[in-house]
Amino acid sequence: MSLYKKFPITLFNTLNRKKEKFEPITEGFVGMYACGPTVYGDPHLGHVRSAMTYDVIYRYLMHLGYKVRYVRNITDVGHLEDEVLGEGEDKIAKKARVEKLEPMEVVQFYTNRYHHFMDRINILRPSIEPSATGHITEQIEVIEKILESGLAYQVNGSVYFDLKKYSEDYEYGRLSGKVLEDLMSGSRDTEGLDEKRNPNDFALWKKAKPEHIMRWPSPWSIGFPGWHLECTSLSTKYLGEKFDIHGGGMDLQFPHHEAEIAQSVGYCGHHSVNYWIHNNLLTIKGQKMSKSLGNFITLEQLFDGSHELLEQAYSPMTLRFFMLQAHYGSPIDFSNEALKAAEKGFNRLMASVSTMEGLSYEKGDINEKLDAAINASLDEVYFRMSDDFNTAQALAGLFDLGSKANAFRHGQLQVGNITEKTFNRLKEVFGRFIKEVLGLEKQGEEPQSSDILDNVIHLLIEMRTEARANKDFATSDKIRDKLAKLGVNLKDNKDGTTFEIG
């Protein structure tokens, strides 16, 4: 039986605001699209949240046995300064003007930088990574079809999507909860009103002003495509007019993803996406981390510790572990304390990986309850991950399995008390899940103090066990309490005493 049949996925579909069983259009195959970066500056911590979310989903789907086509775009034109109104200067063109570079120099440089830093965090490259400028022809074709559907209009060389016309037959705002009438009544936009029929109509194609340096010929004018258009064009080109998953940050629900839904209706005659997934944001002091707000920390600054808000440098795997500790739908607030705790947690988990790798099997008397419990714990890791890709809960299950490995190593549990089949499954699932699904890898040499600390704790546990056997409860409690103050928590059970750090 395929793993995806044994551990079926449920996911929170933003479009319907509820968890749903995941059923791909074609059994065994998944088409997934995620909104990629606009490449005009170095990637920062906020970018990692989205990239990590869909990287883990991609990894887990493949681990379960699905064949996955994962498409993530590169935005290199059309992303204007005012994302909601679709006005202002193109972000890449502005960077090129300020730096006195060609726009494609900016694009190439920051695309390379994005790949470099994402590689360091062990984020897999997508199956296809198309750029907007490489698909101008396809975007023009999409506009032509939307015009034919009657859901767009041309004015002075620009083409706009007609939201009022769309809302006569379709529900605009279903994804984000926005109500078109409220948007229209509350709009203060005056720019382009001589062209737009309604203030919230968004551009499919914009006629370029004389100073606009990024421009292409079209049936309507020399100009450039709207920001929203590329994702509709690229996703349907590579995944088909109906595909399984579309992901992105929750800040893209409006207007970007709402516009995509409307465009797909104009282009295909129906919604293109079956499941919408939105990751929550990384915040700093409760505020979204973004370039526009100027409160961001680049990955380079995180890795070398050069930002003023950082107390030290943090490794790529510490950052990855930090992100994995939260469900993708929950916000994460940046702090040095949280990153330091993640660093400790990551080192503990990697120590457990080394311990697990060092175990060898020698048959003994089989304890059926222990054998069944370990298999149940392994299944539970999958069930937790299949429940809306809950990395936080999966990690908790892996730490529990790691404590079993430590107990085997130090003789509190006997490897021979489980079957060889269960032992092999424990080692394989534990290692593969951490490396293949969660993407966590050892970084350089592990701290030499790890094994020493481990052995010292076990020596204290033995002294405490001896004290309890001698009814010297004062000494027993003193060892437990002193270790707890140092962050080492002891857990007594029928098989002995285990510990957790943190």
Side-chain angles (χ1 to χ4, degrees):
M1 177 188 293
S2 300
L3 283 176
Y4 62 76
K5 289 184 178 179
K6 185 177 180 181
F7 305 106
I9 291 171
T10 57
L11 55 82
F12 186 84
N13 189 350
T14 313
L15 190 66
N16 299 327
R17 291 176 177 76
K18 63 180 181 179
K19 279 188 183 180
E20 299 175 356
K21 182 180 178 181
F22 176 60
E23 296 178 323
I25 296 167
T26 303
E27 184 179 340
F29 296 84
V30 178
M32 182 172 76
Y33 183 91
C35 293
T38 302
V39 283
Y40 68 101
D42 270 348
H44 58 67
L45 295 183
H47 294 132
V48 178
R49 186 78 201 274
S50 185
M52 272 277 298
T53 296
Y54 305 104
D55 176 66
V56 171
I57 292 174
Y58 181 36
R59 286 171 174 272
Y60 188 56
L61 290 171
M62 291 192 294
H63 179 79
L64 290 181
Y66 286 109
K67 291 185 177 180
V68 186
R69 178 178 288 178
Y70 172 30
V71 182
R72 185 186 67 201
N73 68 307
I74 294 289
T75 297
D76 54 1
V77 68
H79 197 162
L80 307 185
E81 292 174 292
D82 192 322
E83 297 176 355
V84 176
L85 299 178
E87 302 294 348
E89 192 172 1
D90 185 293
K91 293 184 176 184
I92 289 166
K94 181 178 180 180
K95 185 75 172 181
R97 176 176 57 78
V98 171
E99 300 290 335
K100 294 182 172 57
L101 298 170
E102 284 290 331
M104 288 302 110
E105 279 186 276
V106 172
V107 167
Q108 190 64 58
F109 179 80
Y110 287 111
T111 298
N112 292 344
R113 295 278 287 178
Y114 181 82
H115 286 151
H116 167 72
F117 286 109
M118 294 302 143
D119 288 347
R120 290 189 66 184
I121 310 167
N122 202 21
I123 289 175
L124 299 177
R125 304 279 180 101
S127 314
I128 303 173
E129 193 173 44
S131 68
T133 58
H135 296 77
I136 298 296
T137 300
E138 287 85 350
Q139 292 180 79
I140 289 173
E141 290 173 356
V142 171
I143 296 171
E144 288 175 332
K145 280 204 171 184
I146 297 175
L147 282 166
E148 289 173 13
S149 75
L151 291 177
Y153 56 92
Q154 176 189 348
V155 181
N156 300 328
S158 294
V159 182
Y160 296 96
F161 193 92
D162 192 336
L163 281 177
K164 188 174 182 181
K165 178 71 173 175
Y166 175 82
S167 64
E168 291 174 2
D169 298 307
Y170 304 97
E171 182 183 357
Y172 181 78
R174 179 180 167 190
L175 185 73
S176 63
K178 302 286 186 182
V179 178
L180 182 60
E181 288 75 14
D182 293 343
L183 291 170
M184 293 172 66
S185 63
S187 176
R188 298 178 180 179
D189 178 28
T190 57
E191 185 172 357
L193 272 183
D194 56 330
E195 292 186 347
K196 295 181 183 180
R197 293 176 182 173
N198 295 289
N200 292 98
D201 291 349
F202 56 87
L204 300 175
W205 187 266
K206 291 277 282 185
K207 181 180 180 180
K209 296 177 180 179
E211 66 273 14
H212 199 96
I213 57 178
M214 301 181 75
R215 53 177 65 208
W216 292 265
S218 79
W220 314 287
S221 65
I222 302 294
F224 57 95
W227 172 40
H228 311 307
L229 188 67
E230 65 178 286
C231 289
T232 298
S233 303
L234 299 176
S235 62
T236 54
K237 176 179 175 64
Y238 293 109
L239 299 175
E241 292 187 0
K242 194 77 174 175
F243 60 95
D244 299 302
I245 297 172
H246 192 313
M250 64 180 298
D251 55 329
L252 295 178
Q253 288 182 27
F254 180 85
H256 187 53
H257 290 161
E258 290 287 11
E260 279 192 64
I261 292 173
Q263 288 170 164
S264 71
V265 170
Y267 176 52
C268 307
H270 54 75
H271 289 206
S272 294
V273 182
N274 281 352
Y275 302 93
W276 284 89
I277 299 178
H278 289 91
N279 61 277
N280 214 311
L281 306 177
L282 180 70
T283 59
I284 183 164
K285 297 181 180 178
Q287 191 176 34
K288 172 190 171 184
M289 186 178 289
S290 70
K291 291 177 184 175
S292 58
L293 294 174
N295 65 344
F296 62 92
I297 298 172
T298 68
L299 296 180
E300 185 172 43
Q301 290 170 328
L302 183 81
F303 298 155
D304 65 19
S306 61
H307 195 282
E308 60 182 8
L309 292 177
L310 297 171
E311 294 178 5
Q312 65 177 66
Y314 298 96
S315 72
M317 285 298 103
T318 294
L319 174 60
R320 188 173 181 99
F321 185 89
F322 170 67
M323 297 280 187
L324 291 170
Q325 289 179 110
H327 182 265
Y328 74 83
S330 302
I332 301 179
D333 197 56
F334 165 85
S335 71
N336 281 282
E337 291 72 23
L339 280 167
K340 288 176 182 177
E343 188 173 56
K344 291 179 181 178
F346 170 72
N347 288 333
R348 278 176 53 212
L349 191 62
M350 289 301 103
S352 294
V353 170
S354 295
T355 298
M356 191 74 78
E357 290 172 346
L359 295 177
S360 58
Y361 188 74
E362 185 175 340
K363 188 175 180 180
D365 296 326
I366 302 301
N367 181 330
E368 292 183 0
K369 285 187 177 180
L370 177 62
D371 192 80
I374 288 178
N375 276 295
S377 295
L378 290 167
D379 287 348
E380 185 63 22
V381 171
Y382 278 103
F383 285 126
R384 291 176 179 184
M385 191 66 183
S386 287
D387 182 11
D388 201 20
F389 310 106
N390 198 326
T391 56
Q393 288 298 315
L395 269 175
L398 290 167
F399 271 110
D400 181 59
L401 290 169
S403 68
K404 293 284 196 303
N406 287 326
F408 282 133
R409 178 188 178 189
H410 295 284
Q412 295 158 332
L413 296 175
Q414 300 301 316
V415 170
N417 293 153
I418 62 176
T419 65
E420 188 171 8
K421 181 179 179 181
T422 297
F423 174 76
N424 290 336
R425 185 185 179 218
L426 172 62
K427 290 189 72 171
E428 181 184 11
V429 171
F430 187 78
R432 288 186 62 197
F433 214 96
I434 289 171
K435 183 176 181 178
E436 293 181 12
V437 177
L438 300 183
L440 294 168
E441 295 185 339
K442 298 175 184 177
Q443 296 195 138
E445 293 296 323
E446 291 184 70
Q448 294 182 356
S449 60
S450 177
D451 284 344
I452 297 174
L453 175 63
D454 205 31
N455 290 328
V456 168
I457 293 172
H458 279 285
L459 177 61
L460 290 170
I461 289 174
E462 288 176 14
M463 293 172 63
R464 178 172 175 266
T465 301
E466 186 177 338
R468 292 173 71 188
N470 295 330
K471 300 188 184 302
D472 182 2
F473 298 112
T475 299
S476 170
D477 291 345
K478 183 176 181 181
I479 292 172
R480 182 197 61 206
D481 295 342
K482 288 285 188 181
L483 285 173
K485 286 183 179 180
L486 295 172
V488 180
N489 300 306
L490 302 183
K491 292 185 177 182
D492 296 316
N493 53 64
K494 63 181 182 179
D495 298 311
T497 303
T498 59
F499 69 90
E500 287 187 355
I501 301 175

